[in-house]
């Protein structure tokens, strides 16, 4: 008898070069707390939940958008990392790895 396996739904974000120990992380403008919302492992942020990404649009969806029948209303979360870089305060908008 097999047991259902729980899929580990976590999102990973690669940090840009130069991000030190002092940084802030926001998902859709909402500040995320280390240890509660994500963990840093090396130069990777590992979120404790899956971040929503709008997938590729198929030909039917493109056609419906072109004709003005429908838009794209899928959930898409953006991740911003604010840190002190060589040129001062820097904001990097990052995408999760698939």
């Amino acid at each position: 008898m097999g047991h259902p396996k729980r899929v580990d739904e976590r999102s990973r974000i690669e940090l840009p070069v130069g991000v030190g120990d002092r940084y802030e992380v926001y998902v859709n403008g909402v500040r995320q707390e280390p240890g509660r919302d994500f963990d840093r492992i090396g130069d990777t942020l590992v979120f404790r939940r899956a971040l929503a990404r709008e997938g590729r649009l198929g030909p039917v969806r493109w056609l419906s958008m072109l004709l003005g029948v429908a838009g794209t209303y899928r959930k898409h979360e953006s991740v911003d990392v604010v840190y002190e870089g060589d040129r001062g305060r820097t904001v990097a908008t990052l995408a999760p790895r698939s």
Side-chain angles (χ1 to χ4, degrees), residues 15-92:
L15 290 171
V17 174
V19 176
D21 293 335
R22 296 183 57 179
Y23 59 93
E24 299 169 3
V25 177
Y26 298 85
V27 174
N28 291 342
V30 178
R31 185 163 179 168
Q32 305 296 294
E33 296 297 325
R36 185 186 76 194
D37 300 309
F38 69 90
D39 298 297
R40 182 172 180 177
I41 301 172
D43 289 331
T44 303
L45 298 182
V46 180
F47 286 84
R48 296 185 176 191
R49 66 179 181 88
L51 299 175
R53 290 183 52 190
E54 183 174 30
R56 294 179 51 116
L57 299 177
V60 173
R61 188 72 169 180
W62 274 110
L63 180 61
S64 66
M65 288 172 46
L66 181 66
L67 296 174
V69 175
T72 176
Y73 304 106
R74 297 177 185 172
K75 188 172 182 182
H76 183 80
E77 295 178 301
S78 65
V79 177
D80 296 318
V81 176
V82 181
Y83 64 99
E84 289 292 326
D86 295 339
R87 298 181 181 149
R89 196 163 167 93
T90 303
V91 177

